[in-house]
Amino acid sequence: MNNGKKPDGSFKLILQAGKANPAPPIGPAMGQRGLNIMEFCKQFNEATSKMSGPVPVIINFYKDKKFYIEIKTP
């Protein structure tokens, strides 16, 4: 959830809807920033469960290791 503060960083991924898992590219991208990989997978899979195909996503992250997911239109 966006907390209104400017993120400390962000990165983009293109993932299959409803099929996020800790394997690359998610695991390395989240892990090197100290972010909770499984929480991301859970949130992404729930948000994209009714979609199909590749989905662009932007992950904004903060110093406290929280993150906000922006799901774009495929």
Side-chain angles (χ1 to χ4, degrees):
M1 180 175 273
N2 188 347
N3 60 10
K5 293 193 282 186
K6 183 177 178 189
D8 293 306
S10 67
F11 57 99
K12 298 176 186 177
L13 296 172
I14 298 177
L15 306 170
Q16 289 297 316
K19 296 183 180 175
N21 63 58
I26 299 168
M30 302 287 287
Q32 72 183 0
R33 294 167 176 92
L35 304 173
N36 187 326
I37 299 164
M38 294 310 297
E39 184 60 31
F40 169 81
C41 292
K42 178 183 166 193
Q43 288 181 24
F44 177 83
N45 289 338
E46 285 176 7
T48 61
S49 64
K50 295 188 177 163
M51 299 175 157
S52 63
V55 177
V57 62
I58 299 173
I59 298 100
N60 297 299
F61 59 92
Y62 305 89
K63 286 184 183 179
D64 62 2
K65 306 299 181 197
K66 293 185 179 172
F67 58 88
Y68 173 72
I69 303 170
E70 290 182 54
I71 297 172
K72 300 297 186 179
T73 304

